[in-house]
Amino acid sequence: MAVDALDTRILRLLIEQPRTSVREYARILGVARGTLQARLDRLERDGVITGTGPVLSPAALGHPVLAFVHLEVTQGHLDDVGDALAAVPEIIEAFSTTGGGDLLTRVVARDNGHLEDVIQRLIQLPGVVRTRTEVALRERVAHRVLPLVEAVGRAAGGPG
């Protein structure tokens, strides 16, 4: 889907001022409320905007340990293991990957002992051959999309 300069400005506002009303966004951008709403609807329909809820901190929820756990899976069991991962609340993301493992999970835990318990649970899943864990020490670049939005806006000929 093509994102134009106005879309880029809308996305920037959504990122920078997520609690602002549609009416206020329209005023800031100098467009009609109906135009803005139509753009928002299209961006959602096209999958550019995928959510509007709050971003929660696992650390603030009592799970400050973050680890990336790679899982090697027996051939033919990838879907079964993927489904089983959804039942583990400490797994906050999981991806099929190429390279040294079949699945990469992002796992949070209360402490290192809890992390070990989660890993032991993963090892026991039918189809999991082995795991490899990397514990995150410090976040260097927080999850972000605004620089990408700006680059797409520049490519579309907008101010970015």
Side-chain angles (χ1 to χ4, degrees), residues 15 26 34 60-61 77 81 84 86 88 95 127 157:
I15 292 167
L61 292 170
H77 289 85
V81 172
V88 181
F95 301 91

Side-chain angles (χ1 to χ4, degrees), residues 49-135:
I49 297 173
T50 59
T52 58
V55 177
L56 304 178
S57 165
L61 292 170
H63 289 68
V65 176
L66 170 63
F68 300 93
V69 181
H70 302 259
L71 289 87
E72 186 177 320
V73 177
T74 305
Q75 286 188 346
H77 289 85
L78 190 60
D79 288 339
D80 296 334
V81 172
D83 292 343
L85 295 177
V88 181
E90 294 86 359
I91 294 179
I92 57 176
E93 289 183 295
F95 301 91
S96 299
T97 62
T98 61
D102 300 302
L103 291 164
L104 173 64
T105 63
R106 193 168 145 210
V107 178
V108 295
R110 293 184 301 273
D111 53 37
N112 288 344
H114 181 219
L115 176 59
E116 182 181 10
D117 293 342
V118 173
I119 294 166
Q120 290 301 318
R121 182 174 176 188
L122 298 179
I123 290 170
Q124 294 173 16
L125 293 174
V128 173
V129 176
R130 77 178 45 89
T131 65
R132 187 181 87 243
T133 303
E134 298 166 0
V135 175

Side-chain angles (χ1 to χ4, degrees), residues 7-9 11-12 15 145-154 160:
D7 293 332
T8 300
R9 291 174 56 214
L11 294 170
R12 173 187 270 282
I15 292 167
V145 183
L146 185 55
L148 177 63
V149 168
E150 291 170 341
V152 169
R154 283 190 300 275

